[in-house]
Coordinates of all heavy atoms in Angstrom, one line a residue:
Q563 N 0.8 -1.2 0.0 CA 0.0 0.0 0.0 C 0.9 1.2 0.0 O 2.0 1.2 0.4 CB -0.9 0.0 1.3 CG -1.8 -1.1 1.3 CD -3.2 -0.7 0.9 OE1 -3.4 0.2 0.2 NE2 -4.2 -1.5 1.3
S564 N 0.3 2.4 -0.5 CA 1.0 3.6 -0.3 C 0.9 4.1 1.1 O 0.1 3.6 1.9 CB 0.3 4.7 -1.3 OG -1.0 4.8 -1.0
K565 N 1.7 5.1 1.5 CA 1.8 5.5 2.9 C 0.6 6.2 3.4 O -0.3 6.7 2.6 CB 3.0 6.3 3.1 CG 4.3 5.6 2.8 CD 4.5 4.4 3.6 CE 5.7 3.6 3.2 NZ 5.8 2.3 3.8
G566 N 0.5 6.4 4.7 CA -0.7 7.1 5.3 C -0.7 8.6 4.9 O 0.3 9.2 4.4
H567 N -1.8 9.2 5.2 CA -2.1 10.6 4.8 C -1.1 11.6 5.4 O -0.5 12.4 4.7 CB -3.5 11.0 5.2 CG -3.9 12.4 4.9 ND1 -4.0 12.8 3.6 CD2 -4.2 13.5 5.7 CE1 -4.3 14.1 3.5 NE2 -4.5 14.5 4.8
A568 N -0.8 11.4 6.7 CA 0.1 12.4 7.3 C 1.5 12.3 6.8 O 2.2 13.2 6.5 CB 0.2 12.1 8.8
L569 N 2.0 11.0 6.5 CA 3.3 10.8 5.9 C 3.4 11.4 4.5 O 4.4 12.0 4.1 CB 3.7 9.4 6.0 CG 5.1 9.0 5.5 CD1 6.1 9.7 6.3 CD2 5.3 7.5 5.6
R570 N 2.3 11.2 3.7 CA 2.3 11.7 2.4 C 2.4 13.2 2.4 O 3.1 13.8 1.6 CB 1.0 11.3 1.7 CG 1.0 9.8 1.2 CD 0.0 9.6 0.1 NE -1.3 9.8 0.6 CZ -2.1 8.8 1.1 NH1 -1.6 7.6 1.2 NH2 -3.3 9.1 1.6
I571 N 1.7 13.9 3.3 CA 1.8 15.3 3.4 C 3.2 15.8 3.7 O 3.8 16.7 3.1 CB 0.8 15.9 4.5 CG1 -0.6 15.7 4.0 CG2 1.1 17.3 4.8 CD1 -1.6 16.1 5.0
A572 N 3.9 15.1 4.7 CA 5.2 15.4 5.0 C 6.2 15.2 3.8 O 7.0 16.1 3.6 CB 5.7 14.6 6.2
V573 N 6.0 14.1 3.1 CA 6.9 13.9 2.0 C 6.7 14.9 0.9 O 7.6 15.4 0.3 CB 6.7 12.5 1.4 CG1 7.4 12.3 0.1 CG2 7.1 11.4 2.5
L574 N 5.4 15.2 0.6 CA 5.1 16.2 -0.4 C 5.7 17.6 -0.1 O 6.2 18.3 -0.9 CB 3.6 16.3 -0.7 CG 3.0 15.1 -1.4 CD1 1.5 15.3 -1.5 CD2 3.5 15.0 -2.8
C575 N 5.6 17.9 1.2 CA 6.2 19.2 1.7 C 7.7 19.2 1.4 O 8.2 20.3 0.9 CB 5.9 19.3 3.1 SG 6.5 20.9 3.8
L576 N 8.4 18.1 1.6 CA 9.8 18.1 1.4 C 10.1 18.0 -0.1 O 11.0 18.6 -0.6 CB 10.4 16.9 2.2 CG 10.5 17.1 3.7 CD1 10.7 15.8 4.4 CD2 11.7 18.1 4.0
S577 N 9.4 17.1 -0.8 CA 9.7 16.7 -2.1 C 9.3 17.8 -3.1 O 10.1 18.1 -4.1 CB 9.1 15.4 -2.4 OG 9.5 15.0 -3.7
L578 N 8.1 18.3 -3.0 CA 7.6 19.2 -4.0 C 7.8 20.7 -3.8 O 7.9 21.5 -4.7 CB 6.1 18.9 -4.3 CG 5.8 17.4 -4.6 CD1 4.3 17.3 -4.8 CD2 6.5 17.0 -5.9
L579 N 7.8 21.0 -2.5 CA 8.0 22.4 -2.1 C 9.4 22.8 -1.7 O 9.7 23.9 -1.5 CB 7.0 22.8 -1.0 CG 5.5 22.6 -1.4 CD1 4.6 23.0 -0.2 CD2 5.1 23.3 -2.6
A580 N 10.2 21.7 -1.4 CA 11.6 21.9 -1.0 C 11.8 22.5 0.4 O 12.7 22.1 1.1 CB 12.3 22.8 -2.0
A581 N 10.9 23.3 0.9 CA 11.0 23.9 2.2 C 9.6 24.2 2.8 O 8.8 24.8 2.1 CB 11.9 25.1 2.3
C582 N 9.3 23.8 4.0 CA 8.1 24.0 4.6 C 8.1 25.4 5.3 O 9.1 26.0 5.6 CB 7.7 23.0 5.7 SG 7.6 21.3 5.1
T583 N 6.9 26.0 5.5 CA 6.8 27.3 6.2 C 6.8 27.1 7.7 O 6.0 26.3 8.2 CB 5.5 28.0 5.7 OG1 5.6 28.2 4.3 CG2 5.4 29.3 6.4
S584 N 7.7 27.8 8.4 CA 7.7 27.7 9.8 C 6.5 28.3 10.4 O 6.1 29.4 10.0 CB 9.0 28.3 10.3 OG 9.0 28.5 11.7
Q585 N 5.9 27.8 11.4 CA 4.7 28.3 12.1 C 5.1 29.5 13.0 O 4.3 30.3 13.4 CB 4.0 27.3 12.8 CG 3.4 26.2 11.9 CD 2.7 25.1 12.7 OE1 2.7 25.1 13.9 NE2 2.0 24.2 12.0
T586 N 6.4 29.6 13.3 CA 6.7 30.7 14.3 C 7.7 31.7 13.7 O 7.7 32.8 14.2 CB 7.4 30.0 15.5 OG1 8.5 29.3 15.1 CG2 6.4 29.1 16.2

């Protein structure tokens, strides 16, 4: 199976956007 929803979000954040936005 493909990975869970939360892990997919984290991977897409790293893979497609290259850098996530810091909340602080």
Side-chain angles (χ1 to χ4, degrees):
Q563 298 259 21
S564 53
K565 299 301 175 188
H567 181 63
L569 184 56
R570 284 199 295 269
I571 290 175
V573 171
L574 287 173
C575 182
L576 285 161
S577 181
L578 302 181
L579 301 182
C582 297
T583 299
S584 170
Q585 295 180 353
T586 57

